[in-house]
């Protein structure tokens, strides 16, 4: 997951630099930040789907603990000409998505925003991968009890992950559950 995050941050950085170059070519004096559903709270009200002059954006972005497009942020920065470039998303659409995020869902007796639900999914994905790594290690040292313990935990966590995704309506990211070399052992 660390490698994936670093690669994605590199791709975003390259995209941002290309967008800046395109903006210079057509005389952009502002930026529009892309919109996506269920943004992190630190970006939802500050930058999600908004337009800024370049100077305003620098101030806003520098005031954020996590800059736009960094540390797993899914927002992209597009150059625009202020007063000419119409926002891609209407204020109404942004508000509908914001309310949908807040409405969220109930899971195991707790209320979660959709964003919090995605973070819970990520935590479960990490735990599943950790148990798969442990199972591989247990298998390597012939710790059969350890193997079955890990497989039991993987099953419980996978069930919780599927239940969470079904209740929340959030998409699953099954590819994030894969661990190279993991093979489930048949039951005794």
């Amino acid at each position: 997951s660390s490698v994936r995050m670093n690669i994605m941050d590199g791709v975003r950085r390259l995209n941002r630099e290309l967008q800046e170059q395109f903006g210079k070519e057509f005389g952009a004096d502002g930026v529009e930040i892309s919109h996506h559903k269920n943004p992190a709270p630190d970006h939802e009200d500050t930058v999600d789907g908004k337009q800024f002059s370049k100077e305003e954006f620098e101030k806003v972005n520098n005031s954020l603990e996590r800059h736009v497009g960094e540390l797993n942020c899914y927002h992209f920065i597009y150059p625009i000409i202020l007063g000419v470039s119409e926002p891609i998303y209407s204020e109404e659409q942004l508000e509908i998505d914001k309310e949908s995020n807040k409405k969220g869902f109930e899971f195991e007796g707790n209320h979660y925003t959709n964003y919090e639900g995605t973070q819970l999914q990520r935590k479960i994905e990490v735990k599943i991968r950790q148990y798969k790594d442990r199972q591989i290690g247990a298998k390597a040292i012939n710790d059969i009890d350890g193997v079955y313990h890990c497989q039991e935990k993987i099953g419980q966590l996978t069930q919780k992950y599927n239940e969470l995704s079904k209740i929340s309506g959030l998409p699953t990211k099954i590819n994030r559950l894969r661990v190279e070399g993991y093979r489930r052992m048949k039951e005794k």
Side-chain angles (χ1 to χ4, degrees), residues 6 26 31 38 76 106 112 117 121-122 126 130 133 137 147 155:
N6 285 313
F26 69 79
V31 296
N38 312 323
F76 287 92
E106 300 291 323
Y112 294 92
Q121 281 181 316
R122 302 299 82 84
V126 167
Q130 287 172 343
D133 286 336
V147 168

Side-chain angles (χ1 to χ4, degrees), residues 77-92:
I77 304 165
Y78 299 102
I80 62 167
I81 297 176
L82 292 170
V84 175
S85 303
E86 291 200 20
I88 295 171
Y89 292 90
S90 69
E91 287 296 322
E92 180 183 29

Side-chain angles (χ1 to χ4, degrees), residues 160-176:
K160 182 175 182 173
Y161 181 77
N162 291 333
E163 187 179 322
L164 166 66
S165 300
K166 183 178 179 182
I167 288 170
S168 67
L170 296 169
T172 58
K173 309 264 180 158
I174 300 301
N175 61 321
R176 293 184 178 184

Side-chain angles (χ1 to χ4, degrees), residues 148 151-152 184-188:
Y148 290 124
Q151 287 182 182
E152 181 180 344
R184 183 173 177 80
M185 280 183 56
K186 295 190 188 297
E187 300 297 321
K188 298 178 193 180

Side-chain angles (χ1 to χ4, degrees), residues 101-115:
N101 181 31
K102 284 182 184 174
K103 181 182 176 194
F105 59 94
E106 300 291 323
F107 182 68
E108 295 183 340
N110 296 309
H111 178 267
Y112 294 92
T113 64
N114 288 337
Y115 172 77

